[in-house]
Amino acid sequence: MSTEVIKAAKFDPAFRAEVANLVKGFDFGNCLACGMCTAGCAYSDVHANNDPRKFLRKLILGMREEAMNDPYYWLCTMCERCTIECPMGINVAAIVRGIRGTTNEAFSDDPAKKGPGFMVKVVEETIESGNQMNVSQEDFMDTIEWVEEELQAELDDPDYKIPLDVEGADFMFGFNAREIKYYPQELQSILKIFYAAKANYTISSKKWDATNLALFSGNDKDFWTITKPLFEEMERLKAKELIVTECGHAFRSCRMGYRNFWDKESDYKFPIRHILQLMAEWIKEGRIKLDPDKITETVTYHDPCNTARKEGVYEEPRYVINSFIKNFNEMYPNKQWNLCCGGGGGALATPEYKVERLAKGRLKADQVIKTGAKIVIVPCHNCMDQFNDINKEFKLGVKNEHLCALIAEALILDEK
């Protein structure tokens, strides 16, 4: 049996201090080395280099070279499943994000190494174009006009207009650039629901993408460069609230950006809510009515880590589901104890780790199979891409849907 020799002379106490400074209020002395983080990580033994306890020990001992050459901090999906098991509440995801963001500045011997290339490319394009799909202003307006015409026909309302840049609305809607570039029918479904609820809302023509991949790359300067213009549009248009589409990392980015930056920089205050929180409110108030006989298949629901565990939104989606879907089977575990789908933490933007991502997906596939569901509600675009890959890889034969798409399908419109 071979034993790996660790030379104490290589330990670097300064490295431990540098890492501790990445996360405000973090103290390595709190780590008990108990292994509960590894026990809480569903994927610690699914593939190599995915053990949070081992990685933390490298940091605590000051093993700079070993830690910074460890693929763990890119393989970790930053889901925080380990954190809710930690008796000391150590947020491994925050440490991982901090290290990702400073890899080429403080720790790396290779200043050209900025992390996975595709993730960096998307961040740079988002800064340049204002959205992660690099959609031009002309293409954005063309798509908005197309969706508007489609809704005029569907609603039999030739006067229908998408409210762009309206001041003083009850809320501004921030969505995912995929809903412009690839899935405009999903945007159409959401706006149809807004129409049925007679919502007083607006969409900014300048900054409408709420997503931010710098949440995963870890660079705070890039992060705030991307999210700040969305909040500036809130202030410019004097919107009372920001509603974010079904996208876990967009929702988390907006909430985190508000707490960490905007709240300290601006006097213009506003709440930020997930669209499914708004849907639950409208259903309770009777502003939208849904046909309980429309969705007949067995349905299950996936809790995105950024929405459920990190931001506490998991009861409202279930209220919405139970209000009109008769056959709903839960995955277990669920809510704040859910299993990450394997696509979080920017895993979809790191194609070099696709094998590990799909290995994680096996556990989620098993969860879906046990529910017997034919429809999987996946209220997050990153999770949706992962679920689509899981569906193909493990031949599940299910339909993956956003919840708003099912709401729009079951929507009962008032007669004119």
Side-chain angles (χ1 to χ4, degrees):
M1 177 177 164
S2 63
T3 302
E4 185 178 351
V5 177
I6 301 175
K7 295 183 179 180
K10 294 181 66 176
F11 293 173
D12 183 356
F15 176 64
R16 171 173 163 164
E18 290 168 14
V19 174
N21 287 332
L22 295 177
V23 183
K24 185 178 180 181
F26 177 69
D27 182 357
F28 274 118
N30 289 336
C31 180
L32 305 176
C34 65
M36 284 302 294
C37 53
T38 300
C41 177
Y43 303 114
S44 61
D45 58 355
V46 168
H47 61 75
N49 304 305
N50 208 76
D51 189 325
R53 179 181 177 275
K54 287 182 180 179
F55 187 68
L56 284 175
R57 298 311 292 166
K58 291 177 182 179
L59 302 181
I60 291 169
L61 291 171
M63 299 169 66
R64 182 189 295 267
E65 183 179 346
E66 289 82 357
M68 299 318 300
N69 288 321
D70 192 334
Y72 171 80
Y73 65 89
W74 288 111
L75 290 170
C76 172
T77 59
M78 301 165 60
C79 76
E80 295 190 17
R81 186 66 166 74
C82 57
T83 298
I84 62 172
E85 299 287 0
C86 175
M88 303 304 290
I90 294 173
N91 192 322
V92 177
I95 297 169
V96 165
R97 183 179 184 274
I99 290 176
R100 286 183 179 187
T102 56
T103 296
N104 67 314
E105 297 171 13
F107 305 141
S108 178
D109 293 330
D110 180 6
K113 182 182 178 183
K114 301 175 70 176
F118 183 68
M119 182 186 294
V120 172
K121 178 176 182 288
V122 173
V123 170
E124 291 174 347
E125 287 183 349
T126 305
I127 292 173
E128 182 179 347
S129 68
N131 65 86
Q132 68 159 302
M133 293 288 114
N134 211 19
V135 175
S136 69
Q137 181 67 16
E138 181 182 2
D139 286 344
F140 169 74
M141 292 304 301
D142 284 347
T143 303
I144 287 292
E145 290 174 10
W146 179 84
V147 171
E148 187 174 86
E149 291 171 1
E150 290 293 307
L151 280 167
Q152 287 172 351
E154 182 180 2
L155 300 169
D156 191 22
D157 184 352
D159 297 324
Y160 171 81
K161 295 290 182 183
I162 295 175
L164 293 179
D165 300 325
V166 175
E167 291 190 11
D170 290 340
F171 67 88
M172 187 175 87
F173 181 46
F175 45 101
N176 190 303
R178 288 182 179 90
E179 291 166 329
I180 288 292
K181 189 164 185 175
Y182 296 119
Y183 311 119
Q185 72 277 7
E186 293 184 0
L187 179 61
Q188 181 178 332
S189 294
I190 293 169
L191 300 189
K192 178 183 176 182
I193 299 168
F194 291 175
Y195 178 89
K198 299 178 176 62
N200 173 24
Y201 74 99
T202 192
I203 291 172
S204 166
S205 65
K206 295 182 178 180
K207 178 62 176 178
W208 40 268
D209 184 7
T211 67
N212 191 337
L213 248 64
L215 177 70
F216 305 135
S217 71
N219 187 305
D220 277 345
K221 181 181 178 181
D222 289 347
F223 176 85
W224 190 225
T225 299
I226 291 170
T227 292
K228 185 178 181 180
L230 187 71
F231 295 169
E232 289 175 335
E233 283 302 279
M234 283 289 298
E235 185 171 18
R236 179 179 76 88
L237 297 175
K238 301 178 178 63
K240 299 179 180 68
E241 183 175 23
L242 177 62
I243 297 295
V244 182
T245 194
E246 289 182 67
C247 178
H249 100 260
F251 184 56
R252 172 72 167 172
S253 295
C254 289
R255 284 273 187 96
M256 195 174 89
Y258 190 97
R259 289 190 296 261
N260 293 356
F261 298 100
W262 183 260
D263 198 35
K264 302 167 187 175
E265 295 183 11
S266 175
D267 293 330
Y268 192 77
K269 309 301 179 185
F270 53 88
I272 300 172
R273 282 197 296 167
H274 193 276
I275 192 170
L276 297 184
Q277 293 178 297
L278 181 65
M279 294 297 106
E281 178 184 286
W282 283 351
I283 289 170
K284 288 177 184 177
E285 295 174 349
R287 287 183 63 174
I288 56 175
K289 300 177 179 64
L290 306 176
D291 181 354
D293 297 317
K294 189 67 176 178
I295 310 298
T296 58
E297 298 98 327
T298 302
V299 172
T300 192
Y301 178 82
H302 165 69
D303 286 286
C305 303
N306 282 306
T307 305
R309 184 158 37 249
K310 298 182 183 182
E311 295 296 340
V313 178
Y314 44 81
E315 295 297 352
E316 296 95 329
R318 286 169 171 81
Y319 176 85
V320 173
I321 292 167
N322 287 313
S323 73
F324 76 107
I325 292 177
K326 294 179 178 179
N327 301 311
F328 173 47
N329 290 345
E330 286 273 21
M331 295 186 206
Y332 291 95
N334 55 47
K335 301 180 181 178
Q336 66 268 48
W337 302 97
N338 77 309
L339 299 185
C340 173
C341 67
L348 269 298
T350 55
E352 51 268 65
Y353 298 126
K354 182 179 179 180
V355 171
E356 292 85 354
R357 173 168 64 83
L358 290 178
K360 291 183 174 81
R362 171 78 267 182
L363 273 68
K364 186 56 69 172
D366 291 342
Q367 278 191 304
V368 172
I369 290 168
K370 288 177 182 177
T371 67
K374 298 301 181 184
I375 297 176
V376 183
I377 297 173
V378 187
C380 174
H381 291 74
N382 275 1
C383 296
M384 179 65 80
D385 286 350
Q386 172 73 342
F387 267 82
N388 287 338
D389 283 351
I390 290 171
N391 198 12
K392 295 174 185 175
E393 179 75 10
F394 303 108
K395 299 178 174 59
L396 301 184
V398 298
K399 290 189 294 183
N400 299 316
E401 299 276 7
H402 290 308
L403 184 49
C404 282
L406 298 183
I407 293 171
E409 186 177 342
L411 195 61
I412 300 173
L413 291 171
D414 292 336
E415 292 185 12
K416 290 186 181 298

